[in-house]
Amino acid sequence: NIYLAPFTSSNSQSADLERVARVTTDEQGVFTVPFAMPQLWPDGAPIEAGKLQIIVASQDGAVQVVTPFDYRPPTRPSYPVPI
């Protein structure tokens, strides 16, 4: 199970997060998983630029690995406004 969370000094509990992907690891625990980055948190707030973390957790949540990363939302093209 793959979860997305704001970066905090304490580990977020995966039970409190919305899953963004599901993946099966190989025998060494290695995995590759693409996922669509949401624009909003489950509460409707926009996901802003900054440090986030991906949490990979076993089905029962007993094993978790956290990887922080810097998120930069895609730039939106600006179009001229017709007058």
Side-chain angles (χ1 to χ4, degrees), residues 10-41:
S10 62
N11 287 343
S12 298
Q13 296 298 315
S14 60
D16 301 330
L17 303 172
E18 184 175 329
R19 184 176 57 228
V20 294
R22 180 174 277 171
V23 67
T24 301
T25 64
D26 67 14
E27 54 277 349
Q28 285 85 33
V30 176
F31 70 93
T32 301
V33 61
F35 70 93
M37 180 67 187
Q39 295 178 6
L40 304 173
W41 291 111

Side-chain angles (χ1 to χ4, degrees), residues 33-80:
V33 61
F35 70 93
M37 180 67 187
Q39 295 178 6
L40 304 173
W41 291 111
D43 67 0
I47 297 177
E48 303 287 343
K51 193 168 279 289
L52 301 178
Q53 58 189 355
I54 291 179
I55 301 169
V56 180
S58 60
Q59 190 69 20
D60 62 4
V63 178
Q64 294 188 13
V65 176
V66 178
T67 301
F69 68 100
D70 291 316
Y71 173 65
R72 289 183 296 277
T75 57
R76 305 205 190 287
S78 59
Y79 297 102

